[in-house]
Amino acid sequence: MPRGGLLCTWLLHGMLLTSLVVPLPAAAASQALPFDLLRALIGNASTYNHIRPDADGPPVTVNCSLYITSLGSVEETTMDYTVTLFLRHWWNDERLAFTGATRLGWLDLSPEVATSVWKPDAYFSNEKSAALHMVTAENMMLRVFANGDVFYSVRLSLTLDCPMNLRQFPVDVVKCSIYLESYSMSTRDIVFRWSLENPVEYSDQITMPEFKLGDKTLHEDCTKNFSTGNFTCIRATFSLRRKIGYYMFQIYIPTLLIVIISWAAFWVNMESAPARVALGMTTILTMTTQSSGSRTFLPKLSYATAMDVWMTACMVFVFAAFLEYIAVTYALTNGHDLLLKLAECKEEEAEVDKKTKKKTEFGEKVSSLAQGIDNVSRVFFPICFLFFNLLYWSILLVVLSEGEE
């Protein structure tokens, strides 16, 4: 095609496209204008230099709040917990103030544009691992208001450290904290503050089968002093009351029944050694297994917990029941030996001297003593165990009532 014909064809196409363009209404143009200006402002190094607002002035005050959507996986062995939350920041950056009417009074920036906006360098100092949610898009929102106020929210899943005092386990109250600090900016440049309204909120969908979330959350300032300067820090502490139901059915009731079963030996015939020995050894081994299993919930602690006290007491009662049969067997064996020696005596009963009569009386007393030990144990062991239970559960009830406060 000749060059002149090709030029004419382009001109015709251009005129056709121009005729198809529909002009935007004036309102739409005015709504798009603030975003265009803001985007141009952020991209202009002379007006927005990507350092903190008012770099030569007082520190930037950043109001913070948390919205917790889930709590779970509180691990005693590693002393940490997992949480999913929305981290919210609010500060003012006059450089981002814009003019022009918008329908809602603010602009929501896309993640691509938001990466160019200055944001606080907040981090969780007690974090073990973290993940930023990216499905189906990056879970981040940055909203700029006309007066330069900036609202920044991001959704995170965290595993946070939570030191625990387990002396009252399993009726303890676990207190866990969330530490939010600035990593590189000292208090000369930035200061974190909890929002005055609802600094920490919890979703109604939070369910924890092993814990009950406390009603109060403590909000504190924990600004820290390092060799490089003072760094702003805020802390939120919440309490988790442990539910005892699981441990009642898995630990307390089974061990209680094992102790009661060990008392059945007191009603077995004293001369039935295989039955009483088998019963005693079985209960001891079962208690040992239960005691080892109860420690799987806990780390290697250097102090005793409330469950350790219970398991130790149950082990002592079961072992004492086994030792009781040893005492009965010893008394019974000595009595039988004396009677056996008397049976081997070839003298007639009428000619038995006084010394032999004394031996006969002693052997009978030993046999009655063995039976008496069983009779006393039938009452003594249950009373002692009942007294221990009254003392143990009374103390636990006091601990539970203090925890509710």
Side-chain angles (χ1 to χ4, degrees):
M1 180 181 295
R3 183 176 300 179
L6 182 60
L7 180 58
C8 293
T9 303
W10 287 350
L11 291 174
L12 288 174
H13 280 290
M15 294 174 62
L16 179 62
L17 290 175
T18 303
S19 64
L20 293 176
V21 173
V22 180
L24 290 175
S30 63
Q31 292 178 8
L33 180 60
F35 179 78
D36 294 336
L37 292 176
L38 185 62
R39 183 170 56 182
L41 177 65
I42 296 174
N44 190 345
S46 62
T47 57
Y48 193 85
N49 49 16
H50 304 286
I51 62 175
R52 77 170 181 87
D54 195 9
D56 297 330
V60 180
T61 299
V62 179
N63 295 301
C64 305
S65 66
L66 302 175
Y67 182 77
I68 298 177
T69 59
S70 68
L71 274 171
S73 299
V74 180
E75 297 291 342
E76 290 80 10
T77 53
T78 55
M79 290 197 177
D80 56 30
Y81 69 101
T82 60
V83 59
T84 300
L85 52 82
F86 291 93
L87 173 62
R88 298 164 173 173
H89 293 315
W90 189 294
W91 72 93
N92 181 268
D93 191 344
E94 295 181 353
R95 298 170 300 178
L96 299 180
F98 58 86
T99 58
T102 60
R103 184 170 58 86
L104 299 176
W106 65 73
L107 295 173
D108 290 324
L109 304 187
S110 64
E112 293 77 11
V113 178
T115 55
S116 301
V117 177
W118 178 90
K119 293 180 285 293
D121 59 341
Y123 80 105
F124 297 90
S125 59
N126 60 333
E127 169 214 327
K128 288 187 175 180
S129 61
L132 173 65
H133 291 262
M134 303 292 291
V135 179
T136 58
E138 183 177 354
N139 294 180
M140 182 271 291
M141 181 181 70
L142 196 144
R143 178 171 293 173
V144 180
F145 293 81
N147 63 348
D149 286 343
V150 182
F151 177 74
Y152 175 63
S153 175
V154 61
R155 182 169 174 248
L156 304 168
S157 287
L158 308 166
T159 299
L160 302 176
D161 182 48
C162 180
M164 305 176 191
N165 185 350
L166 299 173
R167 285 183 171 83
Q168 298 174 355
F169 178 87
V171 293
D172 57 327
V173 176
V174 178
K175 293 185 177 181
C176 295
S177 299
I178 301 176
Y179 289 84
L180 188 64
E181 302 181 26
S182 173
Y183 187 81
S184 62
M185 295 186 181
S186 67
T187 52
R188 296 178 58 183
D189 295 316
I190 190 171
V191 174
F192 289 160
R193 292 286 184 267
W194 286 115
S195 298
L196 297 179
E197 295 184 4
N198 302 323
V200 179
E201 297 180 273
Y202 300 92
S203 171
D204 296 334
Q205 306 300 321
I206 293 179
T207 56
M208 303 182 71
E210 189 179 349
F211 293 92
K212 178 183 178 182
L213 183 63
D215 298 329
K216 298 179 180 179
T217 301
L218 184 63
H219 316 100
E220 298 175 296
D221 181 86
C222 55
T223 299
K224 300 180 180 179
N225 184 14
F226 298 101
S227 59
T228 52
N230 296 330
F231 288 82
T232 184
C233 169
I234 54 177
R235 173 177 61 197
T237 303
F238 55 90
S239 60
L240 300 173
R241 157 65 63 183
R242 194 185 304 275
K243 299 176 183 178
I244 196 175
Y246 172 83
Y247 302 96
M248 286 293 297
F249 290 105
Q250 297 295 323
I251 301 295
Y252 284 103
I253 292 178
T255 51
L256 175 68
L257 295 177
I258 292 171
V259 173
I260 295 175
I261 290 173
S262 68
W263 300 339
F266 304 149
W267 277 266
V268 177
N269 193 315
M270 294 183 297
E271 297 181 357
S272 301
R276 296 190 69 160
V277 171
L279 182 59
M281 291 300 299
T282 301
T283 53
I284 289 176
L285 293 175
T286 306
M287 273 302 307
T288 303
T289 303
Q290 283 289 100
S291 180
S292 300
S294 66
R295 297 293 299 184
T296 58
F297 303 106
L298 303 174
K300 297 178 181 178
L301 302 174
S302 59
Y303 53 83
T305 66
M307 181 173 286
D308 291 333
V309 174
W310 171 265
M311 298 301 296
T312 302
C314 291
M315 179 65 76
V316 169
F317 275 98
V318 170
F319 188 68
F322 184 71
L323 291 180
E324 185 271 350
Y325 178 63
I326 295 177
V328 169
T329 303
Y330 179 79
L332 188 63
T333 302
N334 281 280
H336 283 178
D337 288 343
L338 291 174
L339 294 176
L340 184 60
K341 290 180 180 179
L342 293 176
E344 292 177 353
C345 184
K346 297 180 181 180
E347 296 181 359
E348 296 181 0
E349 184 178 352
E351 298 179 355
V352 175
D353 56 6
K354 296 180 179 180
K355 188 175 181 180
T356 305
K357 288 182 179 181
K358 290 181 179 181
K359 291 182 178 181
T360 303
E361 294 175 357
F362 179 75
E364 293 175 352
K365 289 181 179 180
V366 171
S367 297
S368 62
L369 176 62
Q371 184 61 49
I373 294 174
D374 267 352
N375 295 335
V376 171
S377 299
R378 294 172 185 175
V379 179
F380 178 75
F381 274 75
I383 290 178
C384 289
F385 192 62
L386 178 62
F387 177 77
F388 166 74
N389 273 267
L390 291 175
L391 180 63
Y392 182 85
W393 293 107
S394 297
I395 295 175
L396 287 192
L397 286 176
V398 172
V399 173
L400 284 171
S401 61
E402 291 178 351
E404 292 297 332
E405 297 175 0

